[in-house]
Every structure is written in structure tokens, then in C-alpha cells.
Amino acid sequence: MRESQKETLARARKIVSRLRTCYPEAQTALIHKNPLQLLVATILSAQCTDVRVNKVTPGLFRRYATASDFAGADLAELESIVRSTGFYRAKSNNIINCCREIEQRHAGEVPRTMEELVRLPGVGRKTANVVLGSAFGMAEGVVVDTHVKRLSGLMKLSHSSTPEKIELDLMGIVPRRDWILVPHLLILHGRNVCRARKPLCGSCAVSRLCPSARPSTLL
């Protein structure tokens, strides 16, 4: 029998508390110095690991420092720099067009609202949430990537299948003050312990709070 909303809320808060202890330094893995760099890095991170993006961005940001630089970038040159992140043609086009919009409509500054961000080429709600949360400290929603989606399902924090519905479910059971933090916690836990191919339930700090944990390995 599915637990009540109140029970899920209480369990979710215990999970967050324990994961916070496990990962006290949880934050975005994408290396950046300003909102524009985080925006570009997040666009590049689609279907690509953060490790790979972080190998590409140092040289990228030395070559292009401002929205104006990206807006005027030679497409072929930009493609050659970001090629290893995959889908480099689409990503390069999105970055250039996104930065042109930032230059023309926002005076070269990354906008600070969800509505304005999702209007930019190549920017969806997930990317907007990353920028708002990690660059501006604004909790407007919850980032849902593959790890967050997978762990939310395993932990039965959401019974939805789409990122949009999963985000709403998490927003309903996690205090707003934790909206920015929770994705970082779940991503780290998904990489380090709750691995897709071989979850380490016996080493999991939240195994007793997870309906999907293997009974014989519970802590």
C-alpha cells in the first residue's frame, strides 16, 4: 500500500538530513566563476558528464569571456572546442543564439527569472533551475537530472515518470530551503553509492528509508 503524503514528507526529510551529513560540501560539479559560465557549462552538460565538461570549459572560457564574445563566435571554431561533449553542433548553435539574446535583450547579463531564462535558446527548466540555484541562490524549483529521476523513483519520493512531474512531487515534500541542495545530494549519492548498475545498499546511509533497498544488505 502506498504511504500517505504525510509519511512520504517525513521520510523525505529524514533522507535529506542523512544525505546532508554524508555530503556536507554538496554543490554543482560544474566549475564556473560567474552565471554566464555556469549557463554555458550546463548547456554543454546535456548527455555528457560533468567531468568531460570541466575538461573543455577552461579553454573555452579563456577564448570567450563574455556573452558578447560567445554571440560573435565563429560557429566552426566553437564546434571544434566543444566537440568532445557530444551533440556539439546543436550545443554550439544554442550557446551562440542564447548569448545573442542575452546581449540584445538583457544588456549582456544572464537574467535572474525563470520566465526570462526559459525563453533563451537551448535553455529549458532544468538548466534554468541550475543557474538560478547555483549562480544566484534562488530556489525556484528542483533540478531533475538522470540521477535525481532514478533515485526519486527508487526511494519512492515520486511515482511520476516525467521530469516536470517529478519536480513538482519533490517540491511538495521537500522544504523550499532545500530545493537547491537536494539535487546535489541525490546526484552525489547516485554517483557514489546508489549506482545504476550496482547499488551499494549495504553502504547506504538511507537504506532503511528506501523501499527499494535490498533487505539482506540493510544497515
Short mmCIF file of all heavy atoms in Angstrom, two decimals, residues 56-83:
data_model
loop_
_atom_site.label_atom_id
_atom_site.label_comp_id
_atom_site.label_asym_id
_atom_site.label_seq_id
_atom_site.Cartn_x
_atom_site.Cartn_y
_atom_site.Cartn_z
N VAL A 56 36.68 20.73 -20.84
CA VAL A 56 36.52 21.60 -22.02
C VAL A 56 36.43 23.08 -21.64
O VAL A 56 36.98 23.94 -22.35
CB VAL A 56 35.26 21.18 -22.80
CG1 VAL A 56 34.90 22.21 -23.87
CG2 VAL A 56 35.45 19.81 -23.42
N THR A 57 35.76 23.38 -20.55
CA THR A 57 35.43 24.78 -20.25
C THR A 57 36.62 25.69 -19.91
O THR A 57 36.53 26.89 -20.21
CB THR A 57 34.37 24.87 -19.13
OG1 THR A 57 34.77 24.05 -18.01
CG2 THR A 57 33.03 24.41 -19.65
N PRO A 58 37.70 25.23 -19.30
CA PRO A 58 38.79 26.18 -19.04
C PRO A 58 39.29 26.88 -20.31
O PRO A 58 39.41 28.11 -20.35
CB PRO A 58 39.88 25.30 -18.41
CG PRO A 58 39.12 24.22 -17.73
CD PRO A 58 37.99 23.92 -18.67
N GLY A 59 39.56 26.11 -21.34
CA GLY A 59 39.99 26.70 -22.60
C GLY A 59 38.89 27.50 -23.27
O GLY A 59 39.14 28.56 -23.86
N LEU A 60 37.67 26.99 -23.16
CA LEU A 60 36.52 27.68 -23.75
C LEU A 60 36.34 29.06 -23.14
O LEU A 60 36.15 30.06 -23.86
CB LEU A 60 35.26 26.85 -23.52
CG LEU A 60 33.95 27.43 -24.05
CD1 LEU A 60 33.95 27.46 -25.57
CD2 LEU A 60 32.76 26.60 -23.54
N PHE A 61 36.45 29.15 -21.82
CA PHE A 61 36.21 30.43 -21.15
C PHE A 61 37.40 31.38 -21.28
O PHE A 61 37.24 32.59 -21.09
CB PHE A 61 35.86 30.19 -19.68
CG PHE A 61 34.56 29.46 -19.48
CD1 PHE A 61 34.37 28.61 -18.40
CD2 PHE A 61 33.52 29.60 -20.39
CE1 PHE A 61 33.17 27.93 -18.22
CE2 PHE A 61 32.32 28.92 -20.23
CZ PHE A 61 32.15 28.09 -19.14
N ARG A 62 38.57 30.85 -21.58
CA ARG A 62 39.68 31.75 -21.91
C ARG A 62 39.46 32.39 -23.27
O ARG A 62 39.83 33.56 -23.49
CB ARG A 62 41.01 30.97 -21.90
CG ARG A 62 41.55 30.68 -20.52
CD ARG A 62 43.02 30.24 -20.56
NE ARG A 62 43.18 29.00 -21.30
CZ ARG A 62 43.12 27.79 -20.74
NH1 ARG A 62 42.89 27.68 -19.43
NH2 ARG A 62 43.30 26.70 -21.47
N ARG A 63 38.86 31.64 -24.16
CA ARG A 63 38.62 32.15 -25.53
C ARG A 63 37.41 33.07 -25.56
O ARG A 63 37.41 34.08 -26.28
CB ARG A 63 38.39 30.96 -26.47
CG ARG A 63 38.09 31.36 -27.92
CD ARG A 63 39.28 32.01 -28.56
NE ARG A 63 38.99 32.41 -29.94
CZ ARG A 63 38.40 33.56 -30.28
NH1 ARG A 63 38.04 34.42 -29.34
NH2 ARG A 63 38.19 33.84 -31.54
N TYR A 64 36.39 32.76 -24.81
CA TYR A 64 35.16 33.55 -24.81
C TYR A 64 34.82 33.92 -23.36
O TYR A 64 34.43 33.07 -22.57
CB TYR A 64 33.99 32.76 -25.40
CG TYR A 64 34.28 32.17 -26.77
CD1 TYR A 64 34.56 30.81 -26.92
CD2 TYR A 64 34.27 32.97 -27.91
CE1 TYR A 64 34.82 30.26 -28.16
CE2 TYR A 64 34.54 32.43 -29.16
CZ TYR A 64 34.82 31.08 -29.28
OH TYR A 64 35.08 30.55 -30.52
N ALA A 65 34.96 35.21 -23.03
CA ALA A 65 34.79 35.64 -21.65
C ALA A 65 33.44 36.26 -21.35
O ALA A 65 32.98 36.27 -20.21
CB ALA A 65 35.89 36.63 -21.27
N THR A 66 32.77 36.78 -22.37
CA THR A 66 31.51 37.49 -22.16
C THR A 66 30.43 36.95 -23.10
O THR A 66 30.72 36.22 -24.05
CB THR A 66 31.68 39.00 -22.43
OG1 THR A 66 31.97 39.18 -23.84
CG2 THR A 66 32.82 39.58 -21.60
N ALA A 67 29.20 37.38 -22.83
CA ALA A 67 28.10 37.00 -23.73
C ALA A 67 28.35 37.54 -25.12
O ALA A 67 28.04 36.89 -26.12
CB ALA A 67 26.78 37.52 -23.17
N SER A 68 28.94 38.71 -25.20
CA SER A 68 29.26 39.31 -26.50
C SER A 68 30.27 38.46 -27.26
O SER A 68 30.15 38.27 -28.48
CB SER A 68 29.81 40.72 -26.29
OG SER A 68 30.17 41.31 -27.53
N ASP A 69 31.25 37.93 -26.53
CA ASP A 69 32.25 37.06 -27.17
C ASP A 69 31.59 35.82 -27.77
O ASP A 69 31.87 35.43 -28.91
CB ASP A 69 33.30 36.61 -26.15
CG ASP A 69 34.19 37.75 -25.68
OD1 ASP A 69 34.28 38.76 -26.40
OD2 ASP A 69 34.77 37.63 -24.59
N PHE A 70 30.72 35.19 -27.00
CA PHE A 70 30.02 33.99 -27.49
C PHE A 70 29.08 34.35 -28.64
O PHE A 70 28.95 33.59 -29.60
CB PHE A 70 29.24 33.33 -26.37
CG PHE A 70 30.05 32.43 -25.48
CD1 PHE A 70 30.35 32.80 -24.18
CD2 PHE A 70 30.53 31.21 -25.94
CE1 PHE A 70 31.10 31.97 -23.35
CE2 PHE A 70 31.28 30.37 -25.13
CZ PHE A 70 31.57 30.76 -23.83
N ALA A 71 28.41 35.47 -28.52
CA ALA A 71 27.45 35.88 -29.55
C ALA A 71 28.13 36.08 -30.90
O ALA A 71 27.55 35.83 -31.95
CB ALA A 71 26.74 37.17 -29.12
N GLY A 72 29.38 36.53 -30.86
CA GLY A 72 30.11 36.78 -32.09
C GLY A 72 31.06 35.66 -32.47
O GLY A 72 31.88 35.81 -33.38
N ALA A 73 30.93 34.52 -31.81
CA ALA A 73 31.85 33.41 -32.05
C ALA A 73 31.68 32.82 -33.44
O ALA A 73 30.58 32.81 -34.01
CB ALA A 73 31.63 32.31 -31.01
N ASP A 74 32.79 32.37 -34.00
CA ASP A 74 32.74 31.63 -35.26
C ASP A 74 32.20 30.23 -34.94
O ASP A 74 32.75 29.54 -34.07
CB ASP A 74 34.14 31.53 -35.86
CG ASP A 74 34.16 30.68 -37.11
OD1 ASP A 74 33.76 31.18 -38.17
OD2 ASP A 74 34.57 29.50 -37.01
N LEU A 75 31.15 29.83 -35.62
CA LEU A 75 30.47 28.58 -35.31
C LEU A 75 31.41 27.38 -35.42
O LEU A 75 31.45 26.52 -34.54
CB LEU A 75 29.27 28.38 -36.23
CG LEU A 75 28.47 27.08 -36.04
CD1 LEU A 75 27.94 26.97 -34.61
CD2 LEU A 75 27.33 27.00 -37.05
N ALA A 76 32.19 27.33 -36.47
CA ALA A 76 33.09 26.20 -36.69
C ALA A 76 34.14 26.12 -35.58
O ALA A 76 34.48 25.03 -35.10
CB ALA A 76 33.77 26.31 -38.05
N GLU A 77 34.64 27.27 -35.16
CA GLU A 77 35.65 27.29 -34.10
C GLU A 77 35.06 26.81 -32.78
O GLU A 77 35.67 26.01 -32.06
CB GLU A 77 36.22 28.70 -33.92
CG GLU A 77 37.28 28.77 -32.83
CD GLU A 77 37.78 30.19 -32.60
OE1 GLU A 77 37.15 31.14 -33.11
OE2 GLU A 77 38.79 30.34 -31.90
N LEU A 78 33.86 27.30 -32.47
CA LEU A 78 33.21 26.89 -31.23
C LEU A 78 32.92 25.39 -31.25
O LEU A 78 33.12 24.69 -30.25
CB LEU A 78 31.91 27.68 -31.03
CG LEU A 78 31.13 27.39 -29.74
CD1 LEU A 78 32.00 27.63 -28.51
CD2 LEU A 78 29.88 28.27 -29.67
N GLU A 79 32.46 24.91 -32.39
CA GLU A 79 32.19 23.47 -32.51
C GLU A 79 33.43 22.64 -32.26
O GLU A 79 33.37 21.60 -31.59
CB GLU A 79 31.64 23.17 -33.92
CG GLU A 79 30.21 23.63 -34.14
CD GLU A 79 29.72 23.32 -35.55
OE1 GLU A 79 30.56 22.92 -36.39
OE2 GLU A 79 28.53 23.49 -35.81
N SER A 80 34.56 23.10 -32.75
CA SER A 80 35.80 22.34 -32.58
C SER A 80 36.22 22.28 -31.11
O SER A 80 36.78 21.28 -30.66
CB SER A 80 36.92 22.95 -33.41
OG SER A 80 37.33 24.21 -32.89
N ILE A 81 35.92 23.34 -30.35
CA ILE A 81 36.30 23.38 -28.94
C ILE A 81 35.42 22.46 -28.10
O ILE A 81 35.90 21.79 -27.19
CB ILE A 81 36.24 24.82 -28.41
CG1 ILE A 81 37.25 25.72 -29.12
CG2 ILE A 81 36.49 24.85 -26.89
CD1 ILE A 81 37.15 27.19 -28.76
N VAL A 82 34.12 22.43 -28.41
CA VAL A 82 33.18 21.67 -27.57
C VAL A 82 32.83 20.31 -28.15
O VAL A 82 31.97 19.60 -27.62
CB VAL A 82 31.88 22.49 -27.33
CG1 VAL A 82 32.20 23.85 -26.75
CG2 VAL A 82 31.05 22.63 -28.61
N ARG A 83 33.48 19.92 -29.22
CA ARG A 83 33.16 18.67 -29.93
C ARG A 83 33.07 17.46 -28.99
O ARG A 83 32.19 16.62 -29.11
CB ARG A 83 34.18 18.41 -31.03
CG ARG A 83 33.94 17.12 -31.82
CD ARG A 83 35.06 16.90 -32.82
NE ARG A 83 35.03 17.90 -33.87
CZ ARG A 83 34.39 17.75 -35.04
NH1 ARG A 83 33.74 16.62 -35.29
NH2 ARG A 83 34.42 18.70 -35.94
#
